[in-house]
Each structure stands twice: as structure tokens, then as C-alpha cells.
Amino acid sequence: MTVQRWGELTSAELGAAAARDPVAVLPLAAVEQHGPHLPLETDCIIGEGLLSAAAWRLPPDCPVLRLPVLSVGDSLEHTRFPGTLSLDPETFQRVVVEWGAGVARAGVRRLLLFSSHGGNLAGADVAALRLRHDHGLLVVRGSYFRFPPPADALPAEELRVGLHGGALETALMLHLAPTQVRRRAIAPAGSLDETLIGTNRWLSAEGPAGFAWMAGDLAPGGVTGNAALATPALGERLVAHFAEALAGLIAETRAFPLQALQG
């Protein structure tokens, strides 16, 4: 296994690791409500779990530096629910840029921003461009929910509307942290998107044309989709699938020809 944890190294050891031209992976997560059945740290658990599973699937010639998880992200859409911690969007972008600047100062030139929370994506995109402009880094933006799920793992309708606390996240948690799932609280939840997708061609929460939404806009309890479809076996299958995809992305980031970056 070729993964080293950034914070466990000495400064001299980090310098030696940087000389191997590694991929630095910055996990971007969140501490936010996930309904009555999942803990506030769900996105942290999923992100770190997928990275750990991906580590064992990497080729031996792919050095990786795993940065500490940025556990509090941009969760503005969930702030009306108790327990949610959030950086405002501008602060989140600045934090990612500052961490990325530290990566550049260490001599690392490849950075993967891997998010397990959808609300981080817009800020990560802006921060990635700033880091490319200011520090010349190769900055890749990745997220497990941008990877296509395994065929027939879940109904298409659930994949469209189960944006938060639905079957996908619940299944992952049943595999990664089963004792933290409040199974008696698992229940189907409706979503405004079900109506919109049924009547609109373009406009829905995350459709071809989306709208800004707070979690309570989509469903009063802040959960969308049918978490009752989740099983531990499905979670195990999803972890293996997404970890394989993530390992492939890390390997491709390592193989990317830096001389191609001319701008």
C-alpha cells in the first residue's frame, strides 16, 4: 500500500515523500443533519471509508499523501436543522485554497479534492481554479456521487430523488458504521423533486436546470428518498464499487502529464 497520512509524517519525511511526485488527497466532508436515522458525521464516515477502501486497490507505484479530512464544509442548505456545522461558502473556498497552498509549499504538484458532501462541490470548483492559477498545481475535483453507481443497485427513481439520507447514503453507513445507524428510525421520505420530475422536463432540484434549495424545501424532515431500500449487503457492494472508481481516479491523477498544463 502506498498511502501515507500527511499528519503522521515529520517535516523531513514529508519532504522525502513529496520528492516521489505523489497525489495529495484532501477529503472534503461535512457535519450536518441526515435525518433521524443517520449521525451528523455521516459524510465524514463515508468519505474516509471510501478512501481507506480505495487505498488497498491502488497500484504499488502510485504514492499518495492523505491529508487530514476537512470535516466541516459548506452546509448552508442544512443550517436550519440543529447540529449542522457550516463554513460560509467564501470561507470554505478560502480554507481549501489555504490548505492547497500548503500542499504546494511542500513541493507536491498533484492535488485531488475528494468530496463526500454535495454542498462542497461549487466551492471546490472555485478553489481548484484558484490553486491552478496561483500555484500551478494539477487540481482534480472528485466525488463518489459523480461516479455512476453499479447497474441495478437501486431504482432509477431513488437515484434521482434520494439526494440526502436516502437509500444510497444509508446503505453505505450500514456497511461502514452499522452501529451508528438508528435502524428503527429508517422510513421512506417524500421529496418535492418527485413532483417536479413528474411534471417538468428541465426544472428540478438537481436536474438540467436546478434551483437553490434549503433541505427543508425538498422534504420537511431534511431527508429525501427511500432509506428503507438500504441493506448492509448493498452498502458493501457500493463501497467496493466506489472505492474501485476512486482508486482509478487517483491512479489517473498520478499518471497525468504535468507538462500538458501550459496555461
Side-chain angles (χ1 to χ4, degrees), residues 23 57-59 62 64 245-256:
V23 177
R57 293 167 166 82
L58 290 170
C62 184
V64 173
L246 177 56
L249 175 59
I250 294 172
E252 290 180 8
T253 302
R254 176 61 164 72
F256 186 93

Side-chain angles (χ1 to χ4, degrees), residues 103-131:
V103 170
R105 287 194 301 271
V108 178
R109 301 185 64 193
R110 305 171 191 269
L111 174 62
L112 169 60
L113 305 177
F114 179 68
S115 182
S116 52
H117 166 53
N120 290 338
L121 297 183
D125 286 347
V126 174
L129 182 56
R130 175 56 61 189
L131 288 167

Side-chain angles (χ1 to χ4, degrees), residues 29-152:
V31 176
E32 62 182 29
Q33 72 85 22
H34 275 77
H37 63 297
L38 295 178
L40 296 166
E41 64 175 352
T42 288
D43 292 336
C44 297
I45 293 170
I46 291 175
E48 294 203 87
L50 293 179
L51 278 169
S52 293
W56 297 102
R57 293 167 166 82
L58 290 170
D61 60 345
C62 184
V64 173
L65 288 171
R66 183 168 165 176
L67 287 148
V69 61
L70 183 53
S71 58
V72 176
D74 177 1
S75 297
L76 181 63
E77 70 274 23
H78 297 285
T79 50
R80 291 177 182 168
F81 289 85
T84 296
L85 304 177
S86 180
L87 303 175
D88 69 68
E90 293 78 14
T91 300
F92 173 73
Q93 292 170 24
R94 287 197 299 271
V95 170
V96 175
V97 169
E98 292 294 337
W99 284 33
V103 170
R105 287 194 301 271
V108 178
R109 301 185 64 193
R110 305 171 191 269
L111 174 62
L112 169 60
L113 305 177
F114 179 68
S115 182
S116 52
H117 166 53
N120 290 338
L121 297 183
D125 286 347
V126 174
L129 182 56
R130 175 56 61 189
L131 288 167
R132 172 74 189 97
H133 175 272
D134 292 353
H135 300 284
L137 295 176
L138 167 67
V139 187
V140 177
R141 299 101 68 210
S143 174
Y144 78 89
F145 35 80
R146 284 181 169 171
F147 298 141
D152 303 322

Side-chain angles (χ1 to χ4, degrees), residues 135-178:
H135 300 284
L137 295 176
L138 167 67
V139 187
V140 177
R141 299 101 68 210
S143 174
Y144 78 89
F145 35 80
R146 284 181 169 171
F147 298 141
D152 303 322
L154 285 166
E157 179 73 6
E158 174 63 19
L159 292 173
R160 285 195 296 268
V161 304
L163 301 175
H164 194 70
L168 189 70
E169 285 187 311
T170 303
L172 289 168
M173 286 294 289
L174 284 170
H175 177 63
L176 292 170

Side-chain angles (χ1 to χ4, degrees), residues 182-193:
R182 285 69 167 171
R183 299 186 188 219
R184 292 183 179 180
I186 293 175
S191 172
L192 173 62
D193 244 14

Side-chain angles (χ1 to χ4, degrees), residues 7-41:
E8 293 179 355
L9 302 175
T10 67
S11 184
E13 290 168 346
L14 194 284
R20 300 176 61 204
D21 191 21
V23 177
V25 180
L26 173 53
L28 305 174
V31 176
E32 62 182 29
Q33 72 85 22
H34 275 77
H37 63 297
L38 295 178
L40 296 166
E41 64 175 352

